[in-house]
Amino acid sequence: MFKASFQDILSRNWYLVFFVYGLAFFLMGFSIALQARRPSTFRLGQHLKLLAGFGLLHGAAEWAYIFLTPGLVNSGWETLKGAVLTSGHAILIALSFAFLFAFGMGLLGSTWGWARWGIKLAFFLFGLWLWIFFASQPKDAFEIPGWLSYMEILSRYLLAFPGALLSSIGIILQHSELRGLKHPPLERSLKGASFAFALYTFAGGLVVPPAPFPPASFLNTSLMLHLGLPVQFLRAIAGVFMAYFIIRSLELYEVESKKKLENLRQRELLWLERERIRRDLHDGVTQAIYGLLLGLDHALKLLDHNPTACRDKLEELKVRADGIITELRRYLRAMEFSIKLPGRAVTLLEDLLADYTAATNQKPVFYVRGQQERELDPFQREHLYHMVTEILSNIQRHSQATRVWVELDLGSTGLRLLVKDDGVGFIPEASTSRGMGLINLRERAALAGGWVEITSAPGKGTEIELWIPYVAPERGARQWPSK
């Protein structure tokens, strides 16, 4: 009873089934065509254009079933309209299967190291089918429906079945290459797409119109209709699943673009950091070592006639050498990879302030405001670490401060940091001793998508305020709030 009712519903809404079937494939092809214009280094991304061709052509071919009436098919070559529509529709279906075959062969061939002859083979087989199509045209109109049925069987056995099977295997084999992206939703989409192609291998490649030769003699559309599951409905289900998972898989391009951007940003940060360390070593450690050498020369001159003064000088030079070692350790620590840094700004600042306290015997006053803290991405925690390190280092070396205040304000999209000291102050525009440090601060703030403001004057201490977002912005983007 249920089977009869289900078949009755489908028979009265067959055009809706073909519309949904065609729409699923057309949307898949259209979505791929929009995204596949972007370059990709992954095998799947490089071959999706072929799948776009299959989706667009096959969707159009399935929609054409709505307009191909039995009378039009029977008219065949007797009318121009019948000849164009029937032959054009058959060629369109076969050509779509050729693109599916080319996608499967190209994807699997690039995975296993085959030559590109696999894609050429797909279109060679289509050319062979096309030659058979024109060479076997019937002269009598009543033979046209049977001839079209045989040509459809040939196109499905020759192109659709191996194409869908190869595509299913090729997609599932992409897991090893895409695993490095560490994006589980993409991996799940690929598994779903592989299943959808496997389902289409059966429904679209093996189930064909009845014919007096195996397997079409027993596995055909009549059998599926007898089982209460018309093959058109099964193909529509496979098409919807295929479209859904493939469109979800197009996230590959976005994930890959973000990965490339991260690599570019990392290289840029490394270059900037090397430049900063080079400048700081030249202006700081190198000059300190040169001064140490001058002090040793002076101690040697004192050794003969004033050993006590020489001893005092050496003690002084020892303290200066310890300072140089501490400075070198600071540089080495600054070069540590950002992934080792704490993800939370509060924890990161507490660690840096503890180091400052150990080095200066001064404990800064630390305030935290706001309850909307989020995890800093690796780029932002590296920016924050180096900026705060630079600020505290300047306070330690130049400010002669007795008190330091640090205020952290955790907002919804980013954090604001205010660092104040009661030191000697300086004129930011005229400073030479801190010039490179201030330039580095501003460069890092800009790279992080934020801002920094420095307020100071001689005898009035220094106040540095900065804001950065929790997540690194896209290149060229600006997302900081106005002050």
Side-chain angles (χ1 to χ4, degrees), residues 83 169 180 248 261 282 303 326 355 367 373 408 413 420-421 444 449 460 480:
I169 298 173
R248 289 286 302 273
L261 181 61
H282 178 269
L303 182 62
T326 301
D355 292 342
Y367 299 98
E373 184 179 21
L408 177 64
T413 59
K420 297 190 294 184
D421 67 63
R444 282 200 172 274
K460 294 186 178 180
W480 56 74

Side-chain angles (χ1 to χ4, degrees), residues 347-418:
T347 306
L348 192 151
L349 288 172
E350 287 175 343
D351 291 346
L352 289 174
L353 294 177
D355 292 342
Y356 178 84
T357 301
T360 63
N361 292 322
Q362 296 177 4
K363 186 174 183 180
V365 180
F366 184 34
Y367 299 98
V368 179
R369 292 167 47 190
Q371 303 293 328
Q372 305 182 67
E373 184 179 21
R374 291 167 50 192
E375 187 91 2
L376 289 163
D377 76 8
F379 295 112
Q380 301 304 78
R381 71 185 69 163
E382 183 171 329
H383 285 311
L384 182 62
Y385 172 82
H386 288 297
M387 286 191 286
V388 175
T389 299
E390 184 68 43
I391 292 170
L392 294 178
S393 174
N394 283 336
I395 293 174
Q396 179 182 348
R397 291 184 294 169
H398 305 297
S399 73
Q400 302 176 29
T402 59
R403 298 189 68 186
V404 177
W405 297 266
V406 179
E407 180 181 305
L408 177 64
D409 188 359
L410 302 170
S412 59
T413 59
L415 60 88
R416 185 184 68 89
L417 183 67
L418 181 65

Side-chain angles (χ1 to χ4, degrees), residues 12 51 95 228 244 246 253 273 279 283 313 323 338 354 356 363 391 400 449 476:
R12 285 187 282 112
L51 191 60
L95 181 58
Y244 173 77
I246 286 295
Y253 291 101
E273 191 59 26
R279 291 192 298 264
D283 297 338
K313 187 65 176 178
S338 63
Y356 178 84
K363 186 174 183 180
I391 292 170
Q400 302 176 29

Side-chain angles (χ1 to χ4, degrees), residues 39 130 146 238 433 469:
L130 198 62
S433 61

Side-chain angles (χ1 to χ4, degrees), residues 140-391:
D140 296 329
F142 70 89
E143 297 178 351
I144 289 177
W147 169 72
L148 288 175
S149 179
Y150 285 148
M151 294 310 301
E152 179 185 349
I153 293 172
L154 180 60
S155 67
R156 291 188 182 276
Y157 283 167
L158 186 66
L159 297 169
F161 171 72
L165 182 61
L166 292 172
S167 298
S168 177
I169 298 173
I171 289 175
I172 203 66
L173 290 178
Q174 303 312 303
H175 279 280
S176 58
E177 185 183 33
L178 300 178
R179 193 176 294 118
L181 293 177
K182 297 180 181 179
H183 196 69
L186 179 59
E187 295 183 21
R188 290 193 293 269
S189 297
L190 290 180
K191 291 178 181 178
S194 179
F195 167 77
F197 276 99
L199 180 60
Y200 192 78
T201 301
F202 171 76
L206 286 178
V207 180
V208 297
F213 50 82
S217 57
F218 57 87
L219 182 58
N220 50 51
T221 55
S222 297
L223 173 65
M224 300 302 295
L225 195 62
H226 178 72
L227 296 175
L229 187 62
V231 71
Q232 291 82 2
F233 179 75
L234 193 59
R235 290 172 185 168
I237 294 296
V240 169
F241 281 153
M242 194 184 300
Y244 173 77
F245 287 114
I246 286 295
I247 291 174
R248 289 286 302 273
S249 300
L250 294 178
E251 195 176 4
L252 164 71
Y253 291 101
E254 191 65 28
V255 174
E256 185 178 8
S257 296
K258 288 183 178 180
K259 194 75 173 178
K260 289 179 180 178
L261 181 61
E262 288 178 2
N263 291 336
L264 288 174
R265 288 174 63 87
Q266 189 66 36
R267 284 197 288 267
E268 183 179 26
L269 288 174
L270 285 173
W271 181 83
L272 289 173
E273 191 59 26
R274 286 172 181 171
E275 283 295 301
R276 186 188 71 82
I277 292 174
R278 181 187 63 80
R279 291 192 298 264
D280 286 357
L281 285 174
H282 178 269
D283 297 338
V285 176
T286 304
Q287 298 300 325
I289 293 175
Y290 181 69
L292 188 66
L293 290 175
L294 292 177
L296 288 172
D297 287 339
H298 181 59
L300 287 174
K301 294 176 182 178
L302 294 173
L303 182 62
D304 294 332
H305 63 277
N306 195 346
T308 302
C310 177
R311 179 183 178 86
D312 292 340
K313 187 65 176 178
L314 290 175
E315 289 291 339
E316 176 190 338
L317 293 176
K318 179 182 177 183
V319 173
R320 290 170 63 180
D322 288 339
I324 294 173
I325 292 173
T326 301
E327 190 73 4
L328 284 173
R329 285 174 178 168
R330 185 178 71 86
Y331 288 128
L332 292 174
R333 184 171 180 179
M335 288 188 286
E336 290 182 358
F337 192 58
S338 63
I339 200 66
K340 299 178 182 178
L341 299 173
R344 298 279 180 173
V346 174
T347 306
L348 192 151
L349 288 172
E350 287 175 343
D351 291 346
L352 289 174
L353 294 177
D355 292 342
Y356 178 84
T357 301
T360 63
N361 292 322
Q362 296 177 4
K363 186 174 183 180
V365 180
F366 184 34
Y367 299 98
V368 179
R369 292 167 47 190
Q371 303 293 328
Q372 305 182 67
E373 184 179 21
R374 291 167 50 192
E375 187 91 2
L376 289 163
D377 76 8
F379 295 112
Q380 301 304 78
R381 71 185 69 163
E382 183 171 329
H383 285 311
L384 182 62
Y385 172 82
H386 288 297
M387 286 191 286
V388 175
T389 299
E390 184 68 43
I391 292 170

